[in-house]
Amino acid sequence: MGAIIKIRLCSFFLFLLTFAALLPADTEQGRREMLIKELRSREIPFEERPLLENYGGFGASIHVLLPPLTAETPGGNPLSFMLAVPLRGSGASPDEQAEGLSFGIETALYFIDSIRRHNTAMEIRIAFLGDEFSRLPADSVPLEHLGLRDLCALPEIPENVILWYLDIEKAPAQILIHHGAEKKLAPLSMIQDIPELSASVGVPYSLAIHFNEIYKLGLAEGPSALSVTGDRGINALYITSLKGRDGEKNIGPPALAELIAAYTASFTLHSETQDTHFSIISTPFFSGKIFFISEQATVVLLFLALAAFLLYQGIISLLRRKTIIIRRIVFIRRFWVILAFIAILTISFLIAAFFFNILCRIFAVSPPQSYGVAALVFIFALVLSSVFSFFIDRISIPYKDIFYGNASLFLISAGIFIAAVLNITFVPVFVWAFLFILIGSLVKIPALVYVSALITPLQALAAFINLLNEGNMKLTRSFLEGNFFICLYIALICMPFILIIKRGNVLLWRRRRRLSFRWNFLPRPVLAAFSIIVLVIYLWRSSASIPLPPERRTLEASAEVLDLRLSGSAFLESRILGLQLKASGNPVRFDIYLENAAPSPPEIYSAQMPVEAAGENSLRLILGEDPPNPLSAELVLPLKFSGAIRAEALYTVYDPGIDPMPPPPGADYLLKLVRTLPVGDIQPE
């Protein structure tokens, strides 16, 4: 087998040389060559890391390592800072690409110069990442972040690594910081100094998500790069660009490099004190400043809310000591009314979602996934709930206004308790709501009750607007699909607010003559009908502008379009299978499958790229985008292997010389050419 390994290594290096010679001069390859020349001209040592053998990518990353002055921090744990910059940013369209080196790469070069002049107390690695973003649609299983995966595999103690992912193509007016993804957050220590440092160097910034509750609930997926770092256990921030207003001055690479250098100089990380349960308060009353509430401060808020609740109960017990027992008995006996309201609101959400999907089928449109549609369905559900709950509102309840106030306090207190048990990050939002619900439960003036009710959901509304700006459709999709648990969750969140509104109505009716049944009930079904009409008009207009569906085509290719050639030789109990694949045009990616004739996965002794299971009796060679064309590779298989090689070439641009079918009606186009050749037994020579 030693001879086979030598043959494999030789063929591997020959393959890389062939690849380097034949690779098209795309943006990433051109930038890599420009960057290498720039690093050599500045006499900066670097390492080039090919991505083929471990990750299937045809590109390579370039790493620059800057050693620290001292090997360890006072705590005894070596720290390291990684600055990751993609060679080709996520904005892969020509209009979004910068000419020459990107803004992020230029910033990294300035940062290297700054660190080399002033040195650093921690190890710093600057990684210019290859094969980061895909040009293929999501349904083709694109390979992304290959360079980042290679980078994240380097540290032995991931918890002691700080990583900034700088994905900026052109000079921004502000930087936009993502600090979480998929229910995982960067610790407070990673971002608490950024406001002060950015102000000192004059770099405007903004947080993409101002409410950590959104991350913790999984409503914001976050950048995919942070999912990769999170899976590895590395704390990371994702930095991208934010467009400014007309005439606003853009940030220069030296300024952002100065911010990163100041950050590395001031940062300390201790794994035992990493606070990922902090909260963020962003308010326009202090010039848009951002305040952070640590986990310890949140616990203090929780106890203050508990003290306020106990104080409220004590004062009520003293002031209404003659009737307090009667009112509590009434609350316990009539609590089923609150449960009925929750059930009615949940059912109304489910009915509204079901009705919405029925209308989509009538108009032959796929359910639009937008917050505008969700708002219309939500309003329709609220109006529908008011129709159903009208008859429960007419049930005679002694001290009804106090009953509604106590019920809302009970629900929001239960919410605080559940939030503290599940994740203390949720507590500040509930404390905010508790404060104004408490005010709405105490005052007797209807106007003040209504004002308290309107202020109560402001934090939730701000979080919703933040989610809207991010364009995440996860919550909307679940709500419009009629997910029972999502509808129940929204009903529980809305109920304290609705009960305070009902309390204000009770107090208002006491001061004025109560409306008759006709004028109290009839407007509700009228509003429900009006909501349906608005929803129908919206869907009718949507049906007139239905987006074109994605075009997916799979064709059996001839040898003239997709040429697959196999060669083989035997050595002892193994066989070396050589393949050469050449396709017309410029395929975005090659997919190669090894299929076994027997109902079991084939066995591969060695390959130049990673492999993965692709079915009961097949393996897939993992290959990245922008392959060399023709592509040459070798596999070492068992001598008596019998099966087939299936090759696929993927295209995203229509070419009449390759695709004989008519041009696609839309821009979302994917052509898959397929060619299969049998692989039979060969005898040793």
Side-chain angles (χ1 to χ4, degrees):
M1 292 296 293
I4 295 178
I5 298 299
K6 291 180 180 179
I7 293 173
R8 179 206 168 200
L9 290 175
C10 291
S11 62
F12 171 68
F13 287 115
L14 288 174
F15 175 81
L16 287 181
L17 292 174
T18 304
F19 155 66
L22 297 177
L23 183 67
D26 62 355
T27 303
E28 181 171 315
Q29 176 67 8
R31 283 185 178 174
R32 186 183 299 110
E33 294 173 356
M34 292 176 61
L35 177 60
I36 290 175
K37 291 180 181 179
E38 187 68 24
L39 293 173
R40 286 173 176 168
S41 66
R42 300 187 184 197
E43 298 182 350
I44 299 174
F46 64 90
E47 175 192 6
E48 194 167 1
R49 296 178 60 87
L51 302 171
L52 178 64
E53 186 173 12
N54 293 326
Y55 303 96
F58 294 101
S61 296
I62 297 174
H63 289 200
V64 175
L65 183 63
L66 303 176
L69 287 176
T70 57
E72 295 184 348
T73 62
N77 292 325
L79 291 179
S80 63
F81 176 81
M82 292 181 175
L83 179 63
V85 185
L87 288 170
R88 182 175 62 190
S90 56
S93 66
D95 294 337
E96 296 175 331
Q97 286 182 355
E99 295 182 2
L101 298 178
S102 68
F103 177 89
I105 295 176
E106 291 182 353
T107 299
L109 292 174
Y110 277 104
F111 174 65
I112 293 173
D113 291 339
S114 175
I115 296 300
R116 295 178 76 191
R117 288 195 304 268
H118 302 98
N119 296 316
T120 177
M122 67 173 71
E123 180 184 270
I124 294 179
R125 181 182 292 269
I126 297 90
F128 303 94
L129 306 178
D131 291 330
E132 277 298 286
F133 299 101
S134 173
R135 293 182 284 130
L136 292 172
D139 57 2
S140 63
V141 195
L143 294 177
E144 293 190 317
H145 301 301
L146 304 185
L148 181 61
R149 296 178 196 276
D150 177 59
L151 175 66
C152 291
L154 295 178
E156 296 181 358
I157 307 178
E159 294 78 9
N160 289 335
V161 174
I162 317 148
L163 190 147
W164 277 32
Y165 192 100
L166 196 61
D167 181 18
I168 304 178
E169 276 288 316
K170 296 182 178 180
Q174 296 184 39
I175 59 172
L176 185 66
I177 302 175
H178 296 260
H179 66 285
E182 296 183 356
K183 299 186 180 181
K184 297 178 183 178
L185 291 176
L188 175 60
S189 56
M190 278 196 69
I191 62 174
Q192 63 182 357
D193 294 333
I194 290 180
E196 181 180 353
L197 293 175
S198 64
S200 65
V201 300
V203 175
Y205 82 100
S206 178
L207 292 180
I209 297 293
H210 294 181
F211 297 88
N212 287 346
E213 299 85 353
I214 295 177
Y215 281 131
K216 292 294 184 179
L217 289 171
L219 299 180
E221 298 173 355
S224 55
L226 294 187
S227 299
V228 175
T229 58
D231 292 340
R232 176 61 177 156
I234 294 177
N235 297 313
L237 299 178
Y238 184 92
I239 317 295
T240 186
S241 59
L242 187 64
K243 294 181 179 180
R245 305 180 186 90
D246 293 337
E248 189 173 356
K249 187 178 179 181
N250 289 333
I251 302 170
L256 184 54
E258 184 181 355
L259 171 62
I260 302 173
Y263 179 88
T264 58
S266 64
F267 187 85
T268 57
L269 177 66
H270 301 285
S271 58
E272 65 273 9
T273 59
Q274 293 187 30
D275 181 4
T276 59
H277 299 285
F278 67 96
S279 300
I280 301 173
I281 295 180
S282 177
T283 171
F285 303 112
F286 298 95
S287 303
K289 289 185 178 180
I290 291 177
F291 302 92
F292 301 102
I293 303 177
S294 65
E295 184 177 7
Q296 293 82 356
T298 304
V299 173
V300 172
L301 280 178
L302 178 61
F303 281 103
L304 289 176
L306 177 61
F309 179 75
L310 295 176
L311 179 63
Y312 165 78
Q313 291 296 329
I315 294 174
I316 293 299
S317 299
L318 289 175
L319 296 179
R320 301 170 180 171
R321 57 185 177 275
K322 294 182 180 180
T323 59
I324 188 67
I325 296 180
I326 298 175
R327 291 173 178 174
R328 288 179 178 174
I329 292 174
V330 170
F331 180 78
I332 293 173
R333 289 183 174 179
R334 289 289 187 268
F335 190 73
W336 65 269
V337 173
I338 307 303
L339 297 179
F341 282 142
I342 295 174
I344 287 173
L345 187 55
T346 304
I347 293 172
S348 298
F349 285 140
L350 293 173
I351 292 175
F354 175 76
F355 186 75
F356 165 73
N357 286 280
I358 290 295
L359 287 178
C360 290
R361 293 178 184 176
I362 293 174
F363 286 97
V365 297
S366 58
Q369 304 292 335
S370 70
Y371 285 105
V373 173
L376 290 176
V377 175
F378 181 80
I379 293 172
F380 172 58
L382 289 181
V383 176
L384 196 63
S385 171
S386 70
V387 174
F388 295 147
S389 62
F390 171 79
F391 301 99
I392 298 180
D393 284 331
R394 296 178 66 84
I395 295 175
S396 177
I397 301 176
Y399 309 106
K400 183 177 278 190
D401 62 319
I402 299 175
F403 172 78
Y404 283 149
N406 289 337
S408 61
L409 273 177
F410 174 82
L411 291 177
I412 198 65
S413 300
I416 293 178
F417 175 76
I418 294 173
V421 171
L422 294 178
N423 196 309
I424 203 166
T425 307
F426 303 144
V427 168
V429 172
F430 282 94
V431 170
W432 169 280
F434 172 83
L435 174 63
F436 290 100
I437 284 178
L438 180 62
I439 295 173
S441 301
L442 288 174
V443 297
K444 292 286 187 178
I445 303 174
L448 293 180
V449 175
Y450 290 135
V451 170
S452 300
L454 292 176
I455 296 176
T456 297
L458 283 184
Q459 285 286 327
L461 183 61
F464 176 79
I465 293 174
N466 192 189
L467 194 62
L468 175 64
N469 292 333
E470 282 300 298
N472 191 286
M473 294 288 115
K474 189 173 183 178
L475 178 63
T476 300
R477 184 166 53 251
S478 299
F479 174 66
L480 293 178
E481 289 174 355
N483 185 291
F484 172 78
F485 294 102
I486 293 294
C487 292
L488 177 61
Y489 173 77
I490 296 175
L492 290 172
I493 294 294
C494 294
M495 191 49 58
F497 164 77
I498 293 175
L499 290 175
I500 290 296
I501 293 290
K502 290 182 179 294
R503 182 175 188 269
N505 293 339
V506 171
L507 294 174
L508 184 64
W509 290 339
R510 285 181 182 175
R511 299 191 174 201
R512 298 183 180 182
R513 184 174 63 87
R514 187 163 184 151
L515 295 174
S516 63
F517 173 82
R518 177 188 303 173
W519 294 107
N520 194 6
F521 176 75
L522 288 181
R524 305 186 187 201
V526 171
L527 287 175
F530 179 74
S531 301
I532 294 174
I533 293 172
V534 173
L535 192 58
V536 167
I537 293 174
Y538 183 91
L539 292 177
W540 174 69
R541 295 187 62 183
S542 298
S543 64
S545 57
I546 300 176
L548 295 172
E551 186 76 14
R552 302 291 181 262
R553 299 175 181 177
T554 302
L555 301 175
E556 290 289 338
S558 62
E560 290 77 15
V561 178
L562 185 61
D563 185 18
L564 174 62
R565 298 183 182 183
L566 303 178
S567 62
S569 61
F571 184 82
L572 299 179
E573 295 299 321
S574 303
R575 64 186 303 178
I576 301 174
L577 179 67
L579 63 88
Q580 186 176 43
L581 183 61
K582 182 178 181 180
S584 300
N586 295 312
V588 177
R589 191 180 76 194
F590 286 135
D591 286 340
I592 301 176
Y593 297 86
L594 181 64
E595 300 175 342
N596 196 355
S600 61
E603 184 178 4
I604 297 180
Y605 291 155
S606 66
Q608 298 162 324
M609 64 287 294
V611 297
E612 64 178 3
E616 182 180 356
N617 64 333
S618 64
L619 294 176
R620 173 174 173 257
L621 307 184
I622 299 177
L623 297 173
E625 297 181 13
D626 300 319
N629 189 15
L631 169 66
S632 298
E634 287 187 349
L635 307 174
V636 181
L637 306 175
L639 181 63
K640 296 184 178 181
F641 172 79
S642 179
I645 289 283
R646 186 175 87 250
E648 299 176 353
L650 279 62
Y651 299 82
T652 56
V653 177
Y654 175 76
D655 185 347
I658 300 174
D659 187 353
M661 300 176 66
D668 190 356
Y669 166 82
L670 180 65
L671 171 66
K672 182 186 297 183
L673 298 181
V674 181
R675 184 165 172 80
T676 305
L677 289 182
V679 179
D681 292 335
I682 63 173
Q683 301 299 323
E685 298 177 358

